[in-house]
Amino acid sequence: SKPVGHVTRPDDGAHHLLFVGYMGYLPNPDAVAFAAHEILPRLRQRLSRPVVFDVAGAGTPATGSTLSRLPGIRFLGEVADLGPLYEG
């Protein structure tokens, strides 16, 4: 698939975590699932603002189909320019 040209981090007042990795490499979807189920709930309990987990990388749509139903997770797919996502 073609990389997404320009993705920005929304100015929504939330904390944003960014994971970048090829989802065809088995440890990466495992790491995303662990973060979504184990880390995000704990962060959300302790922080006063919402927490959003942005996942960028090729192969994301298939992996994202099950986890994308969880609130606060954005599967971005392959992103051509990650710079705006690192800003903040």
Side-chain angles (χ1 to χ4, degrees):
S1 70
K2 254 182 134 176
V4 176
H6 186 74
V7 176
T8 60
R9 176 181 289 185
D11 186 15
D12 56 6
H15 295 284
H16 282 261
L17 301 175
L18 176 62
F19 182 92
V20 179
Y22 172 58
M23 293 296 115
Y25 178 61
L26 187 57
N28 288 340
D30 286 346
V32 169
F34 179 81
H37 293 292
E38 300 293 330
I39 297 171
L40 284 177
R42 292 176 188 182
L43 287 175
R44 288 179 177 142
Q45 286 178 343
R46 293 189 174 133
L47 298 173
S48 59
R49 295 185 301 177
V51 179
V52 177
F53 187 32
D54 293 325
V55 180
T60 335
T63 305
S65 64
T66 56
L67 291 173
S68 63
R69 288 180 237 146
L70 296 173
I73 299 179
R74 293 190 323 156
F75 284 91
L76 307 173
E78 187 175 354
V79 177
D81 181 11
L82 293 168
L85 294 171
Y86 283 116
E87 293 174 1

